[in-house]
């Protein structure tokens, strides 16, 4: 199978899975936005994906993002998502050229964004629901005070919460972590904060996105399922 055929087949399979997962959760199919995580592939492959209709890309390295944006400058309507750990000194290199930041994981980062962003940036606050010490993100117990503090940063719009499940989580644990993130999002959304509408939940990767959809994900970040046999 050629790379293009493989991409096409995988893309179809992912769309079918999304349809099945949304329908068994009694959710509309378009309530889940698919972000193709292209961090492992070159821009040629991204062009192939674009030709198939996939225009939402996620990257996790600032230098790579900048390079790819330049290489794909002729393609219009690409939506760029930054999904990785963002160092404060790298903020200025990307913050005005991305559409979403999935990894707002500390207040010092918010401060730097406030300083560098020209317009409001749509951000997901990253939450460490599993409590793994190696994971970045806020603890659930810190969320309330974090949101209060973010209110003074008018360049940051908290559109939702994001989490990453541990790679070795069991299916039951995945359900539990994703359910917990959804619950936190629902509580915040109910407060109707102007700076934090928090209507969205970014969770689920290649291994677990059907479970994330069952638990209410509105953005899923899928990489390897696009590119692997
Ligand atoms: C790489 C990555 C993904 C995609 O992971 P796959 O397992 O390849 O689907 C999603 N989210 C983040 C933050 C990532 O770094």
């Amino acid at each position: 199978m050629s790379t293009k055929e493989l991409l096409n087949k995988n893309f179809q399979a992912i769309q079918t899975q999304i349809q099945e997962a949304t329908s068994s959760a009694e959710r509309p199919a378009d309530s889940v936005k698919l972000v193709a995580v292209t961090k492992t592939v070159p821009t040629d492959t991204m062009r192939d994906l674009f030709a198939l209709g996939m225009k939402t890309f996620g990257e996790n390295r600032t230098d790579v993002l900048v390079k790819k944006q330049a290489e794909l400058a002729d393609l219009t309507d690409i939506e760029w998502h930054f999904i990785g750990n963002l160092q404060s000194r790298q903020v200025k290199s990307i913050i005005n050229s991305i559409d979403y930041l999935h990894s707002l994981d500390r207040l010092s980062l918010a401060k730097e964004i406030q300083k560098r962003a020209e317009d409001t940036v749509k951000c997901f606050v990253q939450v460490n629901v599993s409590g793994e010490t190696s994971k970045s993100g806020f603890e659930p117990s810190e969320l309330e005070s974090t949101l209060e503090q973010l209110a003074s940063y008018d360049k940051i719009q908290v559109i939702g919460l994001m989490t990453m499940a541990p790679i070795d989580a069991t299916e039951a644990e995945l359900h539990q972590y994703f359910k917990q993130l959804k619950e936190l999002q629902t509580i915040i959304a109910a407060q109707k904060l102007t700076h934090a509408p928090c209507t969205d939940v970014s969770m689920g990767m290649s291994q677990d996105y059907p479970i994330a959809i069952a638990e209410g994900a509105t953005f899923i970040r899928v990489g390897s399922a696009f590119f692997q046999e």
Side-chain angles (χ1 to χ4, degrees), residues 37 39 60 83-84 162 164 204-207 221-225:
V37 176
K39 63 187 183 194
N60 70 341
I83 61 169
M162 178 275 214
M164 284 178 72
M205 321 201 316
S206 294
Q207 296 308 317
R221 310 176 310 268
V222 178
S224 47

